[in-house]
Amino acid sequence: MRLSHLSLGLLPALLPQALATTTYKTHNFSAPIDHFHNETRYEPHSNSSFNLRYWFDPQYYKPGGPVIVIAAGETDGTDRFPFLSQGIVTQLAKAYNGLGVILEHRYYGESFPFADLTLKNIRFLSTEQSLADYAYFAQHAVFPGLEEHDLTASATPWIAYGGSYAGAQVAFLRKVYPEIFWGAVSSSGVTAAIIDYWAYFEPIRNFGPAQCIDAIQTRVDFVDRILIDHAENETLHAQLQAAFGFSTPINNTDFVNFLSNPLGAFQSRNWDPAVGSYEFRHYCDNITAAEPLYTPTNYTALLPGLLESAGYDKRNKTLLANLRNEIGYLNSSVQSYLEEQAAAQVSDVATSGSLSKDSGTSWNYQVCTEWGYFMPGSTVPEDIRPLLSRLITLEYTSNVCPETFNIDTAPDVSQVNKHGGLDFSYPRVAIIGGVADPWRDATPHAEGLPGRESSDSEPFILLDIPAEDVWDGIRGGVHHWDQNGLSEEEVAQGERPPWLVEELQEEIVRFVGGWLGEWDQTGGGVADL
Ligand SMILES: *[C@@H]1O[C@H](CO)[C@@H](O)[C@H](O)[C@H]1NC(C)=O
Ligand SMILES: *[C@@H]1O[C@H](CO)[C@@H](O)[C@H](O)[C@H]1NC(C)=O
Ligand SMILES: *[C@@H]1O[C@H](CO)[C@@H](O)[C@H](O)[C@H]1NC(C)=O
Ligand SMILES: *[C@@H]1O[C@H](CO)[C@@H](O)[C@H](O)[C@H]1NC(C)=O
Ligand SMILES: *[C@@H]1O[C@H](CO)[C@@H](O)[C@H](O)[C@H]1NC(C)=O
Ligand SMILES: *[C@@H]1O[C@H](CO)[C@@H](O)[C@H](O)[C@H]1NC(C)=O
Ligand SMILES: *[C@@H]1O[C@H](CO)[C@@H](O)[C@H](O)[C@H]1NC(C)=O
Ligand SMILES: *[C@@H]1O[C@H](CO)[C@@H](O)[C@H](O)[C@H]1NC(C)=O
Ligand SMILES: *[C@@H]1O[C@H](CO)[C@@H](O)[C@H](O)[C@H]1NC(C)=O
């Protein structure tokens, strides 16, 4: 089995480990395994219940305040602690005496309905079942220590916040359960499920440093000319792979897939150095450096001949320097890549019949059944110089579906897109995006769509931070950059987010305040539509 391509991008949405200084007490909430006894896809149905984990922070809560629930999305709920201790949800809780809550998603973290995960019992993992969990929670939750307050949705306004997949979820929650969720802030919310999501790389191409993007495109073209234009010459392929550190040739598609790994670092960028990764900038600085950064090996001596075979000028010093530095940069991960591949093959055999209980497996199942988001290079339009090889086909990127789940049919994206897809809109749902977010084209902020007028009822905001205001010097507004925030200690030390982030967070606090004012005016709990 191959390793999944770019981890399908959504995982991890951020790298919050560095920030998880605050922890919260774990609580269990019992929910039905099967909310939809009327749907044949879940047969045989279940009447049992299971525990969803949740955590809350009562420090800002005062009677009458709202519940602000963070949809934890496709990861362990504890990974979201930094979004409860600081950031936009904390600001909202502080401003409005609110109770900040994280509810874990079914089949993630420890919220699995079954002790052993199998191809059969994973069937209750779906978007609608998870949405129903959140609705059921909002209707029935009793928070230990706050039992004297009715914090259920009939008596208290519930505001849902989510980023990325969870951003789509909270948007859908508001639309599917308008009488339960009073408002939702959907940040980088991927409301459109898209099977062939080649467009993932477009914001990288359009907003990455120009010289770096050009170097990547040139390397991709060079490699593709060898592997595609000289498809039959295996000697040449072996030389190419050797030049990049693979002394024993591997599958050519796996090889070019490996070369695309650094692109994943673009999404991990964040305005806060404690949260985000600098690795994309490192990669760019490596592959555009004029001076040699690594000791040349006897393998790099193969480069000029390979360039000539590909129709490139073998005396071009810039080109040679770029490629040698990229080879040196990638070389440090060749060994671990080979080891991971070997391990994946072993575990494949070992786990046949049952599935491993981890976020990657659960998200892949969601991808294979409902969401898609396969990211090939082969379908990038011909007039675009791609950032990854055209050898990477849709079939290759979706291989995990037949291999892990025996699923041979395309995902049923209508399960997601019936809520509106790119056209999604709903009163009291804010659509927040980032101009350079690889997920942008799966959101209502997709390039090429007509813009929308932003209003207090339906805020529509695209974050666009100039390169000079981002610590890695790359233009931003990437993946839900409004969600995280600085700790009180960091603020006390004089740290500040980029002012556009600060302004966006203030704006979110303002319009959510307006929504809460509407709740008060209607006497609360009255269905508003
Ligand atoms: C929650 O439920 C799980 C079983 O689903 C159990 O193992 C765990 O101890 C419970 N945790 C708490 C805090 O009650
Ligand atoms: C099942 O019930 C839900 C509401 O609970 C409804 O939205 C859905 O359309 C129903 N499905 C069928 C097949 O009737
Ligand atoms: C679930 O409960 C219903 C109503 O009590 C019953 O008809 C059905 O057989 C039960 N299903 C299972 C799987 O136990
Ligand atoms: C394969 O490429 C090598 C290196 O350019 C060349 O020497 C050889 O003739 C090619 N083989 C074939 C069969 O074209
Ligand atoms: C990769 O690094 C190893 C040592 O870590 C070295 O032996 C090898 O020559 C390097 N290969 C390339 C292509 O740079
Ligand atoms: C490499 O892997 C791809 C996808 O799994 C497959 O289609 C292709 O035939 C393989 N190539 C070789 C040379 O085995
Ligand atoms: C090249 O990349 C490495 C690994 O990320 C990094 O430590 C180093 O600083 C980079 N070199 C330059 C010149 O940016
Ligand atoms: C590179 O060196 C290794 C051992 O150091 C040797 O096995 C290999 O044949 C050499 N490759 C080339 C292209 O000279
Ligand atoms: C050399 O290669 C660089 C990087 O690909 C390219 O920008 C430049 O135009 C090339 N120079 C010549 C003279 O071809």
Side-chain angles (χ1 to χ4, degrees), residues 242-245 295 297 299-300 327-328 331:
F244 278 87
T295 316
T297 67
Y299 291 111
T300 43
I327 287 168
N331 186 35

mmCIF file of all heavy atoms in Angstrom, residues 242-245 295 297 299-300 327-328 331, ligand 5:
data_model
loop_
_atom_site.group_PDB
_atom_site.id
_atom_site.type_symbol
_atom_site.label_atom_id
_atom_site.label_comp_id
_atom_site.label_asym_id
_atom_site.label_seq_id
_atom_site.Cartn_x
_atom_site.Cartn_y
_atom_site.Cartn_z
ATOM 1 N N ALA A 242 18.037 7.810 -8.897
ATOM 2 C CA ALA A 242 19.314 7.778 -8.170
ATOM 3 C C ALA A 242 19.784 9.202 -7.875
ATOM 4 O O ALA A 242 20.285 9.490 -6.783
ATOM 5 C CB ALA A 242 20.357 7.023 -8.977
ATOM 6 N N ALA A 243 19.595 10.088 -8.837
ATOM 7 C CA ALA A 243 20.005 11.480 -8.628
ATOM 8 C C ALA A 243 19.268 12.090 -7.449
ATOM 9 O O ALA A 243 19.789 12.969 -6.762
ATOM 10 C CB ALA A 243 19.760 12.295 -9.890
ATOM 11 N N PHE A 244 18.054 11.632 -7.212
ATOM 12 C CA PHE A 244 17.256 12.151 -6.092
ATOM 13 C C PHE A 244 17.383 11.286 -4.838
ATOM 14 O O PHE A 244 16.590 11.412 -3.916
ATOM 15 C CB PHE A 244 15.782 12.271 -6.499
ATOM 16 C CG PHE A 244 15.475 13.544 -7.263
ATOM 17 C CD1 PHE A 244 15.638 13.598 -8.637
ATOM 18 C CD2 PHE A 244 15.048 14.692 -6.596
ATOM 19 C CE1 PHE A 244 15.366 14.769 -9.343
ATOM 20 C CE2 PHE A 244 14.771 15.868 -7.292
ATOM 21 C CZ PHE A 244 14.937 15.907 -8.671
ATOM 22 N N GLY A 245 18.342 10.371 -4.833
ATOM 23 C CA GLY A 245 18.631 9.665 -3.592
ATOM 24 C C GLY A 245 18.041 8.268 -3.474
ATOM 25 O O GLY A 245 18.191 7.618 -2.448
ATOM 26 N N THR A 295 26.475 18.978 0.277
ATOM 27 C CA THR A 295 27.651 18.387 -0.364
ATOM 28 C C THR A 295 27.199 17.561 -1.556
ATOM 29 O O THR A 295 26.342 16.684 -1.407
ATOM 30 C CB THR A 295 28.376 17.447 0.629
ATOM 31 O OG1 THR A 295 28.428 18.107 1.898
ATOM 32 C CG2 THR A 295 29.760 17.104 0.146
ATOM 33 N N THR A 297 26.982 14.648 -4.219
ATOM 34 C CA THR A 297 27.344 13.233 -4.142
ATOM 35 C C THR A 297 27.664 12.760 -5.542
ATOM 36 O O THR A 297 27.435 13.485 -6.520
ATOM 37 C CB THR A 297 26.175 12.394 -3.614
ATOM 38 O OG1 THR A 297 25.147 12.422 -4.596
ATOM 39 C CG2 THR A 297 25.643 12.954 -2.310
ATOM 40 N N TYR A 299 25.984 10.836 -7.123
ATOM 41 C CA TYR A 299 24.720 10.757 -7.865
ATOM 42 C C TYR A 299 24.353 12.078 -8.535
ATOM 43 O O TYR A 299 23.785 12.099 -9.619
ATOM 44 C CB TYR A 299 23.580 10.345 -6.928
ATOM 45 C CG TYR A 299 23.697 8.923 -6.468
ATOM 46 C CD1 TYR A 299 23.990 8.629 -5.143
ATOM 47 C CD2 TYR A 299 23.535 7.878 -7.365
ATOM 48 C CE1 TYR A 299 24.115 7.316 -4.716
ATOM 49 C CE2 TYR A 299 23.658 6.560 -6.953
ATOM 50 C CZ TYR A 299 23.943 6.285 -5.625
ATOM 51 O OH TYR A 299 24.064 4.992 -5.216
ATOM 52 N N THR A 300 24.669 13.182 -7.875
ATOM 53 C CA THR A 300 24.286 14.455 -8.486
ATOM 54 C C THR A 300 25.042 14.683 -9.786
ATOM 55 O O THR A 300 24.639 15.498 -10.601
ATOM 56 C CB THR A 300 24.489 15.636 -7.515
ATOM 57 O OG1 THR A 300 25.727 15.484 -6.842
ATOM 58 C CG2 THR A 300 23.374 15.737 -6.513
ATOM 59 N N ILE A 327 17.454 18.410 -4.365
ATOM 60 C CA ILE A 327 17.862 17.030 -4.093
ATOM 61 C C ILE A 327 18.401 16.913 -2.670
ATOM 62 O O ILE A 327 18.028 16.006 -1.917
ATOM 63 C CB ILE A 327 18.914 16.577 -5.129
ATOM 64 C CG1 ILE A 327 18.226 16.340 -6.487
ATOM 65 C CG2 ILE A 327 19.657 15.326 -4.654
ATOM 66 C CD1 ILE A 327 19.177 16.165 -7.653
ATOM 67 N N GLY A 328 19.243 17.850 -2.290
ATOM 68 C CA GLY A 328 19.797 17.831 -0.932
ATOM 69 C C GLY A 328 18.709 17.992 0.112
ATOM 70 O O GLY A 328 18.689 17.289 1.135
ATOM 71 N N ASN A 331 16.643 14.806 0.265
ATOM 72 C CA ASN A 331 17.400 13.604 0.625
ATOM 73 C C ASN A 331 17.220 13.221 2.091
ATOM 74 O O ASN A 331 17.206 12.040 2.429
ATOM 75 C CB ASN A 331 18.883 13.813 0.306
ATOM 76 C CG ASN A 331 19.680 12.540 0.520
ATOM 77 O OD1 ASN A 331 19.179 11.446 0.264
ATOM 78 N ND2 ASN A 331 20.896 12.678 1.004
HETATM 79 C C1 LIG B 5 21.738 11.507 0.958
HETATM 80 O O1 LIG B 5 22.291 11.542 2.255
HETATM 81 C C2 LIG B 5 23.114 10.443 2.542
HETATM 82 C C3 LIG B 5 23.613 10.574 3.964
HETATM 83 O O2 LIG B 5 22.632 11.035 4.787
HETATM 84 C C4 LIG B 5 24.286 10.396 1.576
HETATM 85 O O3 LIG B 5 25.048 9.240 1.811
HETATM 86 C C5 LIG B 5 23.759 10.381 0.155
HETATM 87 O O4 LIG B 5 24.829 10.449 -0.758
HETATM 88 C C6 LIG B 5 22.828 11.529 -0.083
HETATM 89 N N1 LIG B 5 22.240 11.412 -1.416
HETATM 90 C C7 LIG B 5 22.049 12.472 -2.188
HETATM 91 C C8 LIG B 5 21.413 12.181 -3.514
HETATM 92 O O5 LIG B 5 22.349 13.593 -1.874
#
